[in-house]
Amino acid sequence: MKVILFASQKGGSSKTTLYRCLAVAADQAGVGSVGMIDTDPQGTLTKWWKRRAAQTPNLLRLRSVRDDLAPTLEAASAAGLAYVFMDTQGAITESLAAVVPYADTVIIPVRASPDDLEAVPDTIRIMEAAAKPYAFVL
């Protein structure tokens, strides 16, 4: 199972929109079962999932990132999920630091604006400190 993390220090980077589009595309492409985890306290991804008629990709619910993330990912792997996509809060937080170790790859959405570009170095430092491969989507 591969865990794809979407992270950006800057809110408004279209992180959640990109995330859900890629999760649905992976699900529809038939790469295997796809799960989604929403670690953002705003719960935008969770609200979107509840509005949908489709029940896939699967929403994997956490009560607490600290307590539930590892067992939820273990259960997802045991259930045969091919991918788990994780959405994060648009800020550098303890929550981000808690989820980065579980990521196989990190996607960092960035808008072409000075504000977004100023936020990138902090995000890169976290990914490099954790030795996680990352890519930007502009």
Side-chain angles (χ1 to χ4, degrees):
M1 180 181 78
K2 298 291 183 191
V3 177
I4 312 298
L5 179 67
F6 289 72
S8 175
Q9 179 184 3
K10 175 82 175 58
S13 66
S14 298
K15 176 178 50 63
T16 302
T17 300
L18 176 64
Y19 166 103
R20 63 189 182 203
C21 288
L22 291 176
V24 168
D27 184 63
Q28 291 177 347
V31 298
S33 294
V34 176
M36 302 182 303
I37 295 176
D38 187 359
T39 69
D40 187 346
Q42 283 186 338
T44 304
L45 179 76
T46 300
K47 292 172 190 169
W48 164 81
W49 190 85
K50 288 178 179 179
R51 291 191 308 266
R52 298 183 75 229
Q55 296 299 302
T56 61
N58 303 303
L59 181 65
L60 310 175
R61 299 175 191 265
L62 303 178
R63 288 179 307 243
S64 160
V65 171
R66 185 190 65 199
D67 297 334
D68 297 338
L69 184 57
T72 298
L73 290 173
E74 288 171 15
S77 181
L81 268 68
Y83 290 92
V84 171
F85 291 78
M86 283 199 294
D87 195 16
T88 59
Q89 185 174 0
I92 300 298
T93 64
E94 289 181 25
S95 176
L96 179 58
V99 299
V100 167
Y102 296 96
D104 291 298
T105 302
V106 180
I107 305 296
I108 305 170
V110 180
R111 289 183 179 260
S113 76
D115 294 336
D116 278 58
L117 295 174
E118 287 175 353
V120 168
D122 289 335
T123 306
I124 291 172
R125 276 192 281 281
I126 291 171
M127 300 315 140
E128 289 181 346
K132 297 297 175 180
Y134 58 89
F136 294 97
V137 175
L138 182 63

